[in-house]
Amino acid sequence: MKEPQEGVAPLSLAGGEGEPVLLWRAQALGLPVVPTWVVRLEEEFFRLNNLEERMERLFQGVFGVRIDEERLLLAAEEAQRAVRESYLLPERAEAFLEAFRGRGPFLLRYAGKAEGERASTPQEALFALKRLWTRRFRVEAILERYPALLPPFTPVLVQEVAGEVAEDPFLSLDLSRALGQRVVAYTWQDQVARIESSRGG
């Protein structure tokens, strides 16, 4: 078994809270869970590329008494470019690729969210990770979290899932009883792939 890489951990070693813990608890109950890793690299990526300060400069004057829509569109475009053109530490990128060597295809999504990015290979998964981070500076995403400018640094789940997941109402009921909280379980090929909770991701 491979050792967990920096910032990338298999579900059993990930810790934290929210959906990763719910998936881990489902696994501990003996339910089959799709192979899942928890990636926590976004905060370091933002810090090392000075993105917080750069975003604050880009969005100056956008949010006043009224939102300047034209400036918002331009700032969002520049913000997305800033994320796309920034770099992960080479050792983090190498560790990410090593963690997923020989595996795939993948679905990458934020914990607690259904939508994500798909990738066939570890290299594509690395690009998909950057696309996920970039998505957070689309206009609709910015307006959704306003007045916060930066997104919360939520773990990204990398899962070996090749198709669409489907809600399983009977499993949801059983899992809700076992976990002691109301959840909705989604499966792919009879394996748990996502657990929604009213408490969020």
Side-chain angles (χ1 to χ4, degrees):
M1 182 179 160
K2 292 177 181 173
E3 289 297 309
Q5 304 294 336
E6 188 75 37
V8 181
L11 198 57
S12 57
L13 301 175
E17 54 188 24
E19 191 187 6
V21 170
L22 293 175
L23 287 167
W24 176 80
R25 288 178 66 192
Q27 201 172 54
L29 288 166
L31 293 171
V33 173
V34 298
T36 301
W37 294 261
V38 181
V39 177
R40 291 186 176 93
L41 292 170
E42 191 175 23
E43 187 171 3
E44 179 187 70
F45 172 77
F46 267 69
R47 190 179 70 251
L48 294 178
N49 288 287
N50 203 25
L51 285 170
E52 183 173 358
E53 192 179 310
R54 288 162 68 187
M55 297 306 177
E56 283 169 3
R57 282 202 305 270
L58 281 174
F59 286 90
Q60 267 177 357
V62 170
F63 302 107
V65 177
R66 290 174 63 249
I67 294 174
D68 186 327
E69 291 182 15
E70 195 175 324
R71 288 176 81 168
L72 173 60
L73 287 169
L74 289 171
E77 213 171 278
E78 286 302 314
Q80 289 175 67
R81 182 180 293 121
V83 175
R84 274 197 308 271
E85 293 177 357
S86 296
Y87 292 94
L88 264 174
L89 283 174
E91 57 266 36
R92 296 284 186 266
E94 285 165 19
F96 182 96
L97 294 172
E98 179 58 32
F100 302 113
R101 187 186 302 282
R103 307 193 78 116
F106 306 101
L107 170 67
L108 290 82
R109 62 183 180 85
Y110 280 104
K113 300 290 182 186
E115 283 187 23
E117 293 279 345
R118 295 195 177 271
S120 299
T121 65
Q123 186 68 56
E124 283 179 26
L126 192 56
F127 295 141
L129 183 66
K130 286 282 288 295
R131 289 198 302 273
L132 265 189
W133 293 344
T134 303
R135 270 185 186 202
R136 307 188 99 179
F137 288 94
R138 289 179 179 172
V139 169
E140 57 272 26
I142 294 165
L143 291 175
E144 193 177 302
R145 65 177 175 263
Y146 177 75
L149 180 55
L150 286 187
F153 295 120
T154 311
V156 169
L157 303 182
V158 180
Q159 298 183 297
E160 278 193 293
V161 173
E164 296 304 313
V165 303
E167 183 180 340
D168 186 325
F170 296 110
L171 180 61
S172 298
L173 200 59
D174 290 344
L175 204 49
S176 294
R177 288 198 195 103
L179 297 173
Q181 66 183 88
R182 191 177 176 284
V183 298
V184 180
Y186 295 78
T187 59
W188 178 70
Q189 293 191 341
D190 298 322
Q191 300 174 88
V192 180
R194 191 168 99 240
I195 302 176
E196 271 181 15
S197 164
S198 54
R199 298 177 193 174

